[in-house]
Amino acid sequence: MTLEPISELSDDPVWTLADVVGAERASQIEATGAVRFHAVGDSGGGRYPVDKRTHDLTFGGITAAVEEAQKAVARVMNDDLNPLTPGWSPAFCFRLGDVVYFDNTPSGYHAQFYEPYEL
């Protein structure tokens, strides 16, 4: 799948759908009568920072179970994208927050937010 380039956005605080996804895609979406998008939050990976039994700090460390769950969600989200039906496919992904986690460094961020979703 080839992703579209990100549109240049103006300084105007009011954006139309066409400003975000382009005029052609906006027309296809408008023809369906609904806009579809993915919304995700709390999407980083890693163990809970405090061990409930010992109360030790355990920052970072993506467990196999967490990683597998994230990959399962990413696969389903990816399957929703269909370039043959752009009006019915999600137009964008809306990040709801919780994106600063236990290892807030460039390498830590990458490991927590990109690696679990690489397919």
Side-chain angles (χ1 to χ4, degrees):
M1 172 186 284
T2 303
L3 298 176
E4 297 291 322
I6 296 174
S7 304
E8 286 286 326
L9 298 174
S10 72
D11 293 333
D12 185 345
V14 178
W15 296 347
T16 67
L17 184 60
D19 291 330
V20 177
V21 299
E24 181 179 353
R25 183 94 192 272
S27 294
Q28 294 166 332
I29 291 168
E30 289 168 8
T32 69
V35 63
R36 291 158 179 83
F37 59 92
H38 287 146
V40 297
D42 199 13
S43 56
R47 293 188 299 259
Y48 188 72
V50 179
D51 185 296
K52 292 179 183 178
R53 186 177 49 80
T54 65
H55 301 286
D56 291 335
L57 296 177
T58 56
F59 290 101
I62 296 173
T63 65
V66 168
E67 186 175 355
E68 199 49 46
Q70 288 176 310
K71 287 180 180 180
V73 170
R75 280 191 289 273
V76 172
M77 289 175 69
N78 194 52
D79 288 346
D80 283 346
L81 301 173
N82 185 345
L84 300 177
T85 57
W88 294 95
S89 188
F92 54 88
C93 181
F94 183 43
R95 296 294 307 252
L96 300 173
D98 275 356
V99 296
V100 177
Y101 277 82
F102 315 124
D103 183 0
N104 193 24
T105 64
S107 62
Y109 185 87
H110 186 273
Q112 292 173 89
F113 292 99
Y114 289 100
E115 289 175 15
Y117 298 102
E118 291 174 346
L119 298 176

